[in-house]
Amino acid sequence: MSDSSDRWRRRLDTLLSGDRPGGVLLDGLLLAVLVVLALTPFLFPGTRSVAVAARICIFVVLAASYDVMLGYTGIVSFAHTMFFGIGAYGVAIALTKFGVGWGAVLLGTAAGVALAVVLAAIIGLLSLRVRAIFFSMITLAVASLAQLLATQLRDLTGGEDGLTFSVPQVLTPGFRLIEGTVLGVRLDGRLITYYLIFAVALALFLLMLRIVNSPFGRVLEAIRENAFRAEALGYRTVVYRTLAGALSAAMAALAGALMALLLRYNGPAATLSFDVMVDILLMVVIGGMGTLYGPVLGAVVLVMAEYYLQPAMATVAGAVAGWPLLPALFDPDRWLLWLGLLFVLIVYFFPSGIVGKLREMRSG
Amino acid sequence: MSVATALRWRGGDLAPSLVLPLVALAALPTMSFSTWLTFTIAGIAMGMMLFLMASGLTLIFGLMDVLNFAHGAFVTLGAYVAVSVMAALAGWSAADSWWLNLAALLVALVAAILASGAAGLLFERIIIRRVYGAHLRQILVTVGGLIVAEQLIVALWGANPLSLPKPASFRGSILLGDVAIETYRIIALLLGLAVYVALHLVLNRTRIGLLVRAGVENREMVEALGYRIRRLFVGVFVAGTALAGMGGVMWGLYQELVTRAIGADMTVLVFIILIIGGLGSVGGCFVGALLVGLLTNYVGFLAPKLALGSNILLMAAILLWRPRGLFPVAKE
């Protein structure tokens, strides 16, 4: 009996690369997120809730890949949405130009990932050679250039309007895997799209968990803690940081490809805008930097807030309607104000975010 | 620190000083002389406005090693304050009197300086004070501050773009021969030049300036001599944010339209200027601002879509050539 539970534990450890979330509360929360995401189409049937769940899956990958840079390597990039956008445009452009098919999807994804890796390597080698702070400034400039290019290269990207395209038939809402329903749910293309996204996101997350817990990941953490000392130990910090940047860019591009398949559309506002960048930053910091599990919780919190905080704020705004200024502060469009405040408070008082706090409670 | 020092032959290193005239000359064969002169003056005027926004940031970084990503929010605040002031003084601004127009502009500038400076003081107290010395947390916290500040500005002034008409006498242009120069650009140019000269004098001719310059080069030593560099820094921070507010007024009036993104758009250019000029160097910042202003105008004329791209290419080229910028600050 204990022998078999031991074996299961070892299998779990292999799956999670020996990096357990830690603490009953955190384990439970993450397990709940996993189970709910895995069963969303059956638990909460409906287009909206499945779309929210798919967004969460994609943003888990996106935020986790950002955490590889921010939390594990200690460098702040503002170009993460650029890589996200490159992945999304890769799929979008391939499906528009070469016709609908899995070949186009794979080609677009591969091209997007390749371009993202090359760009990340160039930016890294150019700026990390000098000072890590240059990296933040340069990525900001490059990200706005990418946004500009996406709106200007109209023939390729569709400009401001973006590209609307068809996805392979299996993923279209009209497609039926079998006639009739299973547990009251139609097995249509939308369901297949969701499970494709869920499976790829889960696999990518576990892969990143594997990478940050490898010797390579340990070097990244050493660089974060003390770049000078890591260099003195013989690790080329520029190379490691650039590799981390390229890896993170590749993951972001893959998340972008998933986003394109989900939306069947891509445009500058959907994947390239600075608002998305702010969302990612909030997810990683609120969830907990340098944990990878943090971004999971952060993505859940942020995406849920995006969809459900606004109605709550509208209620508050209605309640304080007569007051000066307060209605403006509780206007549903001002939801970022409150998340921004939360963000600042977390950076000050809980630099390790939700996950760090929960782990502390376990040990405390 | 200043152009004068920067241009001096330092150990034979004249090359960085030649970049600016080279860029200006390189553009000459691509257009007629009068066009070139128009764009050169426009570029210098734009550079002056950019200098207003960038100079504070470079000093703040030089003195305390703090990179304030929320600097753009003070530009936005200044521009929105100008919208309110100009709306209140619409009579003065529209009047057919040069002096009343100038008075309206001055009141707007003073109001923006006070508002941005006060906001800067609050920002330093609440946001920056706790994160000295930790770059990662500084970037995060100032980005958080930027989000909150932008949202507050939108809550106060609304999300829609607001128009900010130029005072009546500052519209139109002056013709010198066949060279047309917009009146407003001359005003922006003069104001920027005045600020540069004032900054130069304060930094090089006053005791406070001496302490600031010494602090940029070696903070610990100045502290060891008994000066409270923290207090000095608060002063520089407030002055820097006030200058950003001033830049916001000038840029808002130049565009005649104020959006919530005005500061964020400028932040990108300001960072490019800082990297080109060398972080912490006021002289480098001045040259960088002029370079970006000129290049934006030349390229904006030759190939409008490439304007921002050309600045980023310039930055990349300079980083490859001089990784620490054109005029790096000697630091311990």
Side-chain angles (χ1 to χ4, degrees):
Chain A
M1 190 67 193
S2 82
D3 203 36
S4 85
S5 88
D6 225 38
R7 202 163 63 229
W8 275 107
R9 186 162 297 158
R10 253 181 285 130
R11 276 186 192 160
L12 188 67
D13 264 348
T14 314
L15 198 62
L16 299 181
S17 313
D19 184 7
R20 299 274 199 82
V24 183
L25 212 52
L26 191 54
D27 285 345
L29 259 177
L30 286 165
L31 195 65
V33 169
L34 181 69
V35 170
V36 169
L37 283 180
L39 300 176
T40 298
F42 298 96
L43 292 175
F44 312 101
T47 326
R48 188 177 156 88
S49 52
V50 174
V52 172
R55 263 186 95 80
I56 290 178
C57 292
I58 292 169
F59 272 97
V60 164
V61 175
L62 190 59
S65 67
Y66 192 63
D67 194 29
V68 172
M69 293 273 280
L70 180 65
Y72 283 88
T73 321
I75 41 182
V76 185
S77 158
F78 290 102
H80 210 59
T81 45
M82 177 174 81
F83 303 124
F84 186 49
I86 286 175
Y89 272 115
V91 170
I93 292 170
L95 282 174
T96 316
K97 302 274 172 200
F98 306 128
V100 180
W102 285 107
V105 172
L106 289 179
L107 182 73
T109 309
V113 169
L115 180 62
V117 167
V118 169
L119 270 177
I122 292 175
I123 298 174
L125 289 175
L126 197 64
S127 54
L128 290 171
R129 204 160 60 99
V130 198
R131 302 182 60 165
I133 203 155
F134 272 35
F135 187 81
S136 308
M137 301 165 79
I138 289 173
T139 49
L140 191 68
V142 174
S144 51
L145 179 65
Q147 223 169 330
L148 194 77
L149 280 179
T151 50
Q152 297 293 347
L153 298 174
R154 195 151 301 153
D155 299 336
L156 199 61
T157 62
E160 290 280 2
D161 302 333
L163 294 168
T164 307
F165 48 88
S166 309
V167 290
Q169 204 224 335
V170 184
L171 302 180
T172 52
F175 178 81
R176 297 274 179 279
L177 192 61
I178 49 169
E179 286 307 321
T181 62
V182 175
L183 300 171
V185 176
R186 267 204 310 271
L187 300 186
D188 59 3
R190 204 171 271 135
L191 189 91
I192 297 171
T193 309
Y194 177 72
Y195 278 108
L196 174 73
I197 290 172
F198 175 78
V200 174
L202 186 64
L204 288 178
F205 180 79
L206 291 175
L207 176 65
M208 279 187 272
L209 205 57
R210 178 67 262 177
I211 290 171
V212 296
N213 286 295
S214 69
F216 173 74
R218 291 285 175 269
V219 176
L220 293 185
E221 284 180 276
I223 293 173
R224 176 192 67 195
E225 293 305 321
N226 191 331
F228 184 68
R229 204 173 286 173
E231 186 89 52
L233 284 171
Y235 297 107
R236 298 282 302 275
T237 51
V238 180
V239 173
Y240 275 89
R241 278 177 163 163
T242 304
L243 279 176
L247 171 79
S248 154
M251 292 292 168
L254 288 170
L258 292 180
M259 196 63 161
L261 289 180
L262 172 70
L263 298 178
R264 280 169 275 146
Y265 160 80
N266 186 42
T271 49
L272 280 177
S273 78
F274 197 68
D275 298 345
V276 180
M277 191 62 243
V278 167
D279 284 353
I280 302 172
L281 205 57
L282 289 169
M283 285 172 192
V284 175
V285 170
I286 290 175
M289 286 180 278
T291 57
L292 274 204
Y293 293 110
V296 177
L297 296 182
V300 173
V301 169
L302 249 282
V303 175
M304 299 292 268
E306 227 163 309
Y307 279 84
Y308 301 107
L309 181 66
Q310 297 188 7
M313 284 179 65
T315 319
V316 178
V320 294
W323 300 55
L325 194 60
L326 279 183
L329 293 181
F330 284 104
D331 187 287
D333 286 340
R334 294 288 80 69
W335 66 285
L336 251 182
L337 171 70
W338 300 99
L339 285 173
L341 280 174
L342 178 68
F343 175 88
V344 172
L345 291 176
I346 283 187
V347 175
Y348 277 149
F349 301 112
F350 314 105
S352 48
I354 301 175
V355 165
K357 200 69 202 157
L358 290 177
R359 281 182 177 171
E360 225 173 78
M361 280 163 68
R362 171 194 55 166
S363 58
Chain B
M1 294 302 301
S2 63
V3 168
T5 349
L7 290 178
R8 202 191 304 143
W9 192 295
R10 274 191 308 195
D13 193 8
L14 193 63
S17 313
L18 294 177
V19 175
L20 189 58
L22 274 179
V23 166
L25 283 178
L28 189 50
T30 59
M31 50 187 101
S32 75
F33 181 73
S34 63
T35 320
W36 178 80
L37 202 58
T38 305
F39 280 114
T40 305
I41 292 172
I44 294 175
M46 182 182 172
M48 291 295 179
M49 289 188 259
L50 288 171
F51 172 71
L52 289 178
M53 301 176 212
S55 55
L57 196 59
T58 204
L59 266 183
I60 292 167
F61 184 85
L63 192 61
M64 276 320 242
D65 211 22
V66 167
L67 189 60
N68 182 12
F69 272 81
H71 200 68
F74 300 99
V75 174
T76 316
L77 179 64
Y80 273 101
V81 167
V83 169
S84 294
V85 171
M86 284 300 195
L89 297 179
W92 289 13
S93 172
D96 191 23
S97 149
W98 205 87
W99 288 108
L100 273 181
N101 292 167
L102 188 65
L105 176 63
L106 287 180
V107 173
L109 281 174
V110 170
I113 287 172
L114 290 177
S116 291
L121 186 64
L122 272 178
F123 198 79
E124 200 277 340
R125 291 266 151 161
I126 301 172
I127 302 277
I128 305 234
R129 174 146 296 196
R130 298 153 183 268
V131 289
Y132 283 121
H135 268 163
L136 182 71
R137 289 179 71 198
Q138 256 168 33
I139 298 177
L140 293 178
V141 136
T142 53
V143 169
L146 175 68
I147 298 169
V148 174
E150 261 187 6
Q151 294 289 323
L152 281 176
I153 288 172
V154 174
L156 284 171
W157 275 280
N160 295 326
L162 300 173
S163 80
L164 179 57
K166 284 176 197 140
S169 330
F170 303 154
R171 293 156 198 245
S173 41
I174 301 171
L175 274 175
L176 292 175
D178 53 353
V179 182
I181 304 165
E182 277 183 47
T183 320
Y184 184 75
R185 287 187 169 145
I186 300 178
I187 305 232
L189 199 153
L190 291 177
L191 185 76
L193 211 55
V195 168
Y196 176 68
V197 170
L199 212 55
H200 180 76
L201 288 177
V202 169
L203 282 175
N204 291 299
R205 294 274 191 277
T206 67
R207 188 158 184 79
I208 289 181
L210 182 73
L211 287 175
V212 171
R213 278 185 300 138
V216 170
E217 283 198 14
N218 192 332
R219 191 194 326 160
E220 279 87 358
M221 189 59 87
V222 178
E223 278 176 332
L225 289 171
Y227 295 101
R228 295 194 193 177
I229 204 136
R230 190 52 71 76
R231 195 172 286 177
L232 196 65
F233 175 68
V234 175
V236 171
F237 194 88
V238 170
T241 51
L243 280 174
M246 205 169 162
V249 177
M250 296 308 288
W251 190 252
L253 276 170
Y254 176 63
Q255 294 196 311
E256 300 207 289
L257 188 75
V258 176
T259 66
R260 58 201 282 196
I262 185 170
D265 293 345
M266 285 294 113
T267 304
V268 173
L269 287 182
V270 164
F271 280 170
I272 293 176
I273 291 168
L274 257 54
I275 291 175
I276 289 177
L279 273 167
S281 149
V282 176
C285 172
F286 190 71
V287 175
L290 289 178
L291 259 176
V292 167
L294 285 176
L295 203 62
T296 306
N297 274 279
Y298 294 146
V299 179
F301 170 68
L302 296 170
K305 290 177 181 178
L306 298 179
L308 180 64
S310 67
N311 284 318
I312 289 174
L313 283 181
L314 175 73
M315 176 181 76
I318 286 181
L319 266 180
L320 284 173
W321 177 44
R322 295 279 156 109
R324 292 163 59 84
L326 289 180
F327 304 103
V329 179
K331 258 199 177 287
E332 291 300 305

